Amino acid sequence: MRADRIRNVAIIAHVDHGKTTLVDQMLRQSGVFRAHEQVRERVMDSNDLERERGITILSKNTSVYYDGYKLNIVDTPGHADFGGEVERIMQMVDGVLLLVDAFEGCMPQTRFVLRKALELNKTPVVVVNKIDRPAARPYEVVDETLGLFIELGAGEEQLDFPVVYASARDGYASLSPDCAEGDMRPLFDAIIEHVPAPEGDADAPLQILFSAIDYDDYVGRIGIGRVVRGRAHRGDPVLITNGEGAPRAEKLTRLYTFEALKRVETEECCVGDIVAVAGINDLNVGETACDVNCVEALPFVKIDEPTVTMTFMVNDSPFAGREGKYVTSRNLRERLWREVLTNISMRVEETGSTDAFEVSGRGELHLSILIETMRRQGYEFAVSRPRVIMRNGADGALLEPIEEVTVDVLSEHVGAVMEGLGARKAELIDMRNEVEGSVRLLYTIPARCLMGYRAQLMTDTRGCGVMSHVFHGYEPYRGDIEGRTRGSLIAHETGTATSYGLFNSQDRGRLFIGPSTEVYEGEICGECSRSEDIVINVCKKKHVTNMRASGSDEALRLTPPTVLSLEQCLEFIADDELVEITPQSIRMRKRLLSKEARMKQAARK
């Protein structure tokens, strides 16, 4: 297909503003699916973790045909921790659909993704989604979006953006917010009219810039990118380069284009199209495939640096090796380095120990998704508490990462939220009343102080608070804050927890385990009601005698244990504690399992 009949567009927005649902409707109404074909919701969220959590984690490509045009569409994540996925795919597209919720308006991630699009001079089309919501305010949201464009320094052409009003759930779009029926034709027409066709000389030497890496069990590594110049043919010899070092010779073994939800093999790809290439060994994101007679590396977008780091280490607990398939340091090293090849916003560094590695990412969720993925793949390891990455300024001052936080709460909970954030060194930027008695608070807060706050927010707002955050920048260190105010309940010995032992221990605090759970010495079984750690014997059994007394053999009433998720475990542990990850279990433990060893270490300090 000629380049002037191609449109490359990315869908960007804040989390839960309807990107993946919009792609569903565009696929349905373009005739991709058969009339009676059963198609699940959010069909682009193909990853198990994405479907379980209801969020998009990886950017994905698809395409639809409309009125003789081919629309290459990239669905992107909305969560701030996966901003690297948004940054890298911007090189593949010429325009963006900026989705904004007709009720919530512009949120922190809206600002982030729009800034990246404007920096690369991408043509925006604003889509005000969810206009069918009862409290929708489309006109105000358009004004907010225009203000955001001006604040981010958009050019005159970018400020003259088209606006499409839509309900992705109900499958209609319109140029007027008063419309309540129809189809997606106005959105398709807006893309064709306003998003420019890809530029490039089809007769010039070949250039393909790769922005993503996929893997297939049959053909191996697959590079996904855009044909910036020339034409690609199956079997063509190419030179792979990133501008550093000598280029290496490879061959385009197979070429694919995207059609709906499938990759379709093709013999030739033209300039401007988004393609997948198989047969290139050790291909990395940001590399360029060039004609053998004209080697010119294309510049790749600069990815923001990670802000949070954790230590991944070999599991050395008494239960090590029971459940995992990959348990050695070699397995762990290979898996982490393989992740870095495709996840370009993540960093892995060696440490002084051969059994531990420093892994850095955009946030706790970014790292916890990697942990959960590895766990499901059969890996067994241990991780430390997340730590923020500090920097030194030009004058030698200590700088720390700052997050911009937006909190939507009911008016009666504002006082509790402001008190909680104030104690965490947060600074209030803006506060405004929303509809139906809700208030929106905008803060800047150190990233280290934000860890563990979500649970407190749910408590303070009785489950009604909604929080989102995005990286704001590095600022001078704001001072120390009080850490965890409660200690841990630690198992005294290795064995099986009994109802009798748990009954006698539950007065000490909140338990995390139930009866018949196997534990080992040094494992964390609960949260202490005091500030110090307490060793408890959850394996204690009742002594059996031939004496009986009235009431002594009544049924023991146990308080149901609190089962923590992976993210809650990472927020709970202290600096001297670890989270043990296995395919079947998530346990918390002390770094030093022996009570005597911990006492000796405390005495030395």
Side-chain angles (χ1 to χ4, degrees):
M1 181 171 285
R2 302 196 318 267
D4 61 343
R5 308 294 287 183
I6 295 175
R7 298 292 186 270
N8 299 321
V9 64
I11 301 181
I12 59 176
H14 186 76
V15 65
D16 286 338
H17 279 198
K19 298 180 296 299
T20 306
T21 306
L22 182 68
V23 176
D24 278 1
Q25 289 294 345
M26 295 176 76
L27 289 171
R28 291 175 191 274
Q29 298 191 23
S30 61
V32 168
F33 307 120
R34 296 188 301 273
H36 301 291
E37 184 176 355
Q38 294 293 324
V39 183
R40 62 186 180 182
E41 291 184 355
R42 295 184 294 111
V43 67
M44 294 295 289
D45 285 346
S46 54
N47 189 312
D48 288 341
L49 275 175
E50 291 178 323
R51 301 203 65 80
E52 290 173 14
R53 295 173 180 248
I55 60 174
T56 301
I57 297 173
L58 301 173
S59 295
K60 301 178 188 67
N61 297 75
T62 186
S63 70
V64 299
Y65 289 91
Y66 174 78
D67 198 19
Y69 288 83
K70 182 181 182 182
L71 309 182
N72 289 315
I73 302 169
V74 186
D75 183 24
T76 65
H79 202 285
D81 285 19
F82 308 111
E85 292 287 311
V86 181
E87 292 171 273
R88 65 178 173 79
I89 62 91
M90 286 294 184
Q91 298 284 70
M92 289 197 290
V93 300
D94 302 294
V96 295
L97 295 184
L98 178 67
L99 260 68
V100 186
D101 191 300
F103 172 71
E104 292 185 351
C106 296
M107 299 291 282
Q109 186 69 0
T110 311
R111 176 190 300 271
F112 171 79
V113 294
L114 179 59
R115 185 177 73 246
K116 294 297 180 183
L118 295 179
E119 287 174 356
L120 294 172
N121 202 30
K122 304 301 177 183
T123 302
V125 175
V126 174
V127 181
V128 180
N129 193 25
K130 304 184 183 180
I131 60 173
D132 55 316
R133 292 186 64 169
R137 46 188 187 94
Y139 293 111
E140 295 178 29
V141 168
V142 171
D143 291 340
E144 287 181 17
T145 307
L146 177 61
L148 182 59
F149 271 77
I150 296 172
E151 184 181 338
L152 295 176
E156 291 185 7
E157 293 184 0
Q158 292 172 326
L159 284 174
D160 190 23
F161 55 82
V163 180
V164 179
Y165 302 90
S167 171
R169 185 192 65 179
D170 295 339
Y172 64 84
S174 172
L175 300 181
S176 169
D178 301 323
C179 180
E181 59 183 7
D183 54 25
M184 284 290 173
R185 288 179 180 273
L187 178 59
F188 287 129
D189 293 335
I191 294 173
I192 293 172
E193 180 182 353
H194 297 285
V195 175
E199 299 178 353
D201 187 356
D203 299 321
L206 175 67
Q207 276 184 322
I208 305 176
L209 178 62
F210 294 103
S211 301
I213 301 293
D214 201 354
Y215 185 82
D216 186 273
D217 292 335
Y218 298 99
V219 299
R221 206 171 181 78
I222 296 176
I224 301 172
R226 172 175 167 170
V227 182
V228 180
R229 191 177 67 189
R231 296 177 184 273
H233 302 84
R234 189 175 72 168
D236 280 352
V238 294
L239 291 177
I240 306 299
T241 179
N242 60 1
E244 301 176 2
R248 62 185 189 277
E250 296 288 351
K251 184 179 180 180
L252 304 182
T253 306
R254 292 189 178 182
L255 282 177
Y256 304 89
T257 58
F258 292 92
E259 292 188 10
L261 304 177
K262 298 180 291 185
R263 285 196 295 259
V264 179
E265 194 165 356
T266 184
E267 294 291 327
E268 181 186 36
C269 295
C270 71
V271 63
D273 208 353
I274 295 177
V275 300
V277 178
I280 302 177
N281 298 318
D282 302 324
L283 181 66
N284 293 322
V285 171
E287 291 188 320
T288 307
C290 305
D291 187 282
V292 292
N293 298 316
C294 183
V295 181
E296 297 177 1
L298 290 167
F300 194 65
V301 62
K302 185 180 183 300
I303 305 297
D304 290 345
E305 293 296 318
T307 57
V308 176
T309 185
M310 295 172 64
T311 304
F312 284 52
M313 62 194 75
V314 174
N315 184 23
D316 60 355
S317 79
F319 293 169
R322 287 190 180 186
E323 302 171 357
K325 182 179 179 182
Y326 307 105
V327 298
T328 65
S329 60
R330 178 180 61 84
N331 299 141
L332 187 59
R333 177 186 286 106
E334 289 177 353
R335 178 63 182 83
L336 291 175
W337 285 110
R338 191 164 70 245
E339 180 70 21
V340 175
L341 296 178
T342 57
N343 197 336
I344 58 176
S345 56
M346 190 167 283
R347 304 283 185 271
V348 176
E349 300 174 7
E350 302 275 359
T351 64
S353 169
T354 58
D355 294 339
F357 308 90
E358 288 292 328
V359 181
S360 305
R362 287 285 185 86
E364 288 178 276
L365 182 62
H366 191 199
L367 294 170
S368 68
I369 290 293
L370 171 62
I371 294 171
E372 183 63 30
T373 303
M374 292 175 61
R375 174 178 174 240
R376 297 186 181 202
Q377 293 172 348
Y379 287 85
E380 183 175 314
F381 53 99
V383 297
S384 70
R385 181 186 182 187
R387 308 177 304 278
V388 298
I389 300 174
M390 300 288 192
R391 291 182 182 176
N392 288 321
D395 57 352
L398 185 63
L399 305 179
E400 65 174 341
I402 303 295
E403 299 278 330
E404 182 180 296
V405 181
T406 300
V407 184
D408 291 315
V409 295
L410 297 177
S411 55
E412 60 261 32
H413 300 141
V414 170
V417 172
M418 295 183 72
E419 183 179 356
L421 287 171
R424 292 173 176 261
K425 306 292 183 181
E427 294 182 359
L428 181 64
I429 298 177
D430 188 22
M431 174 181 175
R432 60 178 181 267
N433 293 320
E434 299 290 331
V435 296
E436 298 179 355
S438 65
V439 178
R440 175 168 294 177
L441 304 171
L442 183 63
Y443 279 90
T444 59
I445 184 173
R448 60 189 169 89
C449 303
L450 197 59
M451 295 179 183
Y453 175 68
R454 193 174 297 274
Q456 181 182 340
L457 175 68
M458 293 296 102
T459 302
D460 292 343
T461 63
R462 299 181 181 179
C464 298
V466 178
M467 181 179 74
S468 58
H469 59 91
V470 68
F471 178 66
H472 180 68
Y474 274 84
E475 294 183 3
Y477 186 71
R478 294 190 182 179
D480 298 333
I481 65 166
E482 187 178 12
R484 200 175 82 193
T485 57
R486 297 187 178 184
S488 301
L489 299 177
I490 307 166
H492 172 261
E493 61 184 2
T494 302
T496 303
T498 64
S499 298
Y500 184 75
L502 293 172
F503 178 77
N504 288 294
S505 303
Q506 65 183 5
D507 290 340
R508 300 279 191 172
R510 181 173 54 138
L511 293 176
F512 298 152
I513 63 171
S516 303
T517 303
E518 289 191 82
V519 298
Y520 54 80
E521 181 186 5
E523 181 180 342
I524 297 174
C525 300
E527 180 185 40
C528 184
S529 57
R530 300 181 180 181
S531 59
E532 68 269 18
D533 295 338
I534 296 179
V535 177
I536 58 175
N537 189 0
V538 294
C539 303
K540 184 178 181 180
K541 297 180 180 178
K542 185 175 182 180
H543 292 293
V544 179
T545 67
N546 60 354
M547 300 295 293
R548 295 291 182 267
S550 175
S552 62
D553 292 326
E554 291 181 356
L556 302 177
R557 296 182 179 273
L558 291 177
T559 303
T562 302
V563 180
L564 300 184
S565 64
L566 173 60
E567 285 82 4
Q568 289 172 324
C569 289
L570 295 176
E571 292 175 353
F572 176 81
I573 59 173
D575 293 333
D576 64 335
E577 297 169 350
L578 302 172
V579 179
E580 178 186 351
I581 310 293
T582 74
Q584 300 177 23
S585 308
I586 297 176
R587 305 182 185 95
M588 294 179 290
R589 47 160 287 193
K590 287 289 184 179
R591 286 180 183 265
L592 300 177
L593 299 178
S594 169
K595 179 183 178 181
E596 290 74 18
R598 294 195 298 272
M599 293 177 66
K600 289 179 181 178
Q601 184 185 59
R604 285 196 296 269
K605 289 184 178 179

